[in-house]
């Protein structure tokens, strides 16, 4: 399912127009991204939680040349599925 299909499904199930559903989804995306940027954790009971973790700098290899390269430290987003979501998938 792509974003357009997701917006259509949200619009149908919530009885919204596609434009309203698209604005709601965009607002959700921006809010989660902004909160994660500020180091906050977002928990949606039953669905899951969004947070960031730090990845340390490390040495890697270029697969084409085999040459060692330095991979810089980074902050990466992380999603952990909640119990209700896990149970509904299984």
């Amino acid at each position: 399912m792509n974003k357009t299909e997701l917006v259509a499904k949200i619009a149908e199930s919530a009885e919204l127009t596609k434009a309203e559903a698209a604005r709601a989804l965009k607002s959700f995306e921006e809010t989660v991204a902004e909160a994660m940027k500020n180091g906050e954790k977002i928990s949606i009971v039953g669905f899951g939680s969004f947070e960031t973790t730090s990845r340390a700098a490390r040495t890697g290899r270029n697969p084409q040349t085999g040459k060692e390269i330095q991979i810089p430290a980074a902050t990466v987003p992380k999603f952990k599925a909640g119990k209700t979501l896990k149970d509904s998938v299984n």
Side-chain angles (χ1 to χ4, degrees), residues 14-36:
E15 297 179 3
L16 300 170
T17 65
K18 286 184 181 180
E20 291 169 334
R23 280 196 310 272
L25 181 59
K26 182 176 172 112
S27 177
F28 174 76
E29 292 170 345
E30 290 171 351
T31 302
V32 169
E34 185 64 30
M36 291 176 75

